[in-house]
Amino acid sequence: LQEVAPGLRPPLFSSPYEAAAWAVLSARRPSRQMTEVRRRLAEAHGATFELAGTPTSAFPTPPQLLSVQSFPGLNDLKITRLHGVARAALDGRFDAEALKALGPEEATINLQTLPGIGPFYASLVVLRATGFADVVSLHEAKLLAAVGDLYHLGHPASAEELTRIAEAWRPMRT
């Protein structure tokens, strides 16, 4: 794939802030359901603008998100955690360049101090919102399963197997 599409990259979130908010929204909930909640939250509390002739709503900014006290589809814990994400954004903790300067490992550890952001979601924020190109994600079960399948391992790849296999993918392991 790299030979036929040099530079192909996975799609990125628009910002680490929005990736962290998605992490809180989607944790332990069906993705399709939370995509709809995210859309409705953006329509109710974010800015709406026209994009190619279609009204489009942006995810609420941190101050807008802090004003949300309740919302259909979000329990009190998710609202509290979303407020934590908004406050962290206002404190500069989701600055993409600052996260990149920390490096992927330190940035991932740093984000896990936020309530509701564990290893999987910290990795999602770091890898899918900062643009690191050469990091192996060891916390994505679907990736481990796909590698096990595509490399005929007969089981999902272990972290060690994925690390070994991914060496051939340098410099685009992400």
Side-chain angles (χ1 to χ4, degrees), residues 42-75:
E43 287 176 354
H45 296 281
T48 299
F49 54 94
E50 192 171 301
L51 181 64
T54 303
T56 304
S57 297
F59 191 76
T61 63
Q64 291 169 326
L65 191 56
L66 285 169
S67 74
V68 177
Q69 298 306 309
S70 66
F71 195 79
L74 297 177
N75 61 30

Side-chain angles (χ1 to χ4, degrees), residues 43-125:
E43 287 176 354
H45 296 281
T48 299
F49 54 94
E50 192 171 301
L51 181 64
T54 303
T56 304
S57 297
F59 191 76
T61 63
Q64 291 169 326
L65 191 56
L66 285 169
S67 74
V68 177
Q69 298 306 309
S70 66
F71 195 79
L74 297 177
N75 61 30
D76 290 342
L77 180 60
K78 284 202 185 279
I79 296 282
T80 298
R81 288 180 173 176
L82 284 169
H83 285 177
V85 166
R87 281 190 289 282
L90 291 171
D91 290 342
R93 294 196 55 197
F94 294 118
D95 178 78
E97 292 307 313
L99 290 171
K100 284 187 86 164
L102 289 174
E105 294 83 12
E106 187 65 30
T108 301
I109 290 167
N110 179 287
L111 292 177
Q112 289 179 63
T113 63
L114 297 168
I117 308 289
F120 174 81
Y121 284 114
S123 179
L124 174 137
V125 172

Side-chain angles (χ1 to χ4, degrees), residues 13-35:
F13 277 88
S14 56
S15 70
Y17 159 67
E18 192 163 350
W22 174 251
V24 168
L25 284 171
S26 64
R28 295 179 174 30
R29 296 289 184 269
S31 178
R32 190 172 295 161
Q33 175 188 2
M34 296 321 289
T35 297

